[in-house]
Amino acid sequence: MDAKLLEILVCPVCKGPLVYNKAAQELICKADRLAFAIKDGIPVMLEGEARQIAADEAI
């Protein structure tokens, strides 16, 4: 994931910061507990496509 792209991307729901999870190839919004997949190097920033993260799941 390009560092400059990470600097400008925000959560589409709350406009908060995202954390890159390299192992899972996801962008994580800790505030909304959503994980946005990265497919073929392109972040899928759609709320309906995001995976809900369990409260006990390590971020």
Side-chain angles (χ1 to χ4, degrees):
M1 174 60 48
D2 182 41
K4 289 184 182 189
L5 182 59
L6 267 178
E7 288 178 18
I8 61 172
L9 283 177
V10 295
C11 175
V13 179
C14 70
K15 309 301 185 245
L18 296 168
V19 177
Y20 178 48
N21 181 333
K22 186 175 183 176
Q25 286 296 296
E26 294 177 324
L27 294 173
I28 309 291
C29 175
K30 292 181 180 182
D32 293 318
R33 293 194 350 237
L34 293 174
F36 299 94
I38 300 172
K39 297 181 182 177
D40 298 322
I42 301 169
V44 181
M45 304 300 292
L46 301 170
E47 182 180 3
E49 296 288 321
R51 178 176 68 87
Q52 189 72 37
I53 297 174
D56 61 345
E57 187 174 342
I59 298 176

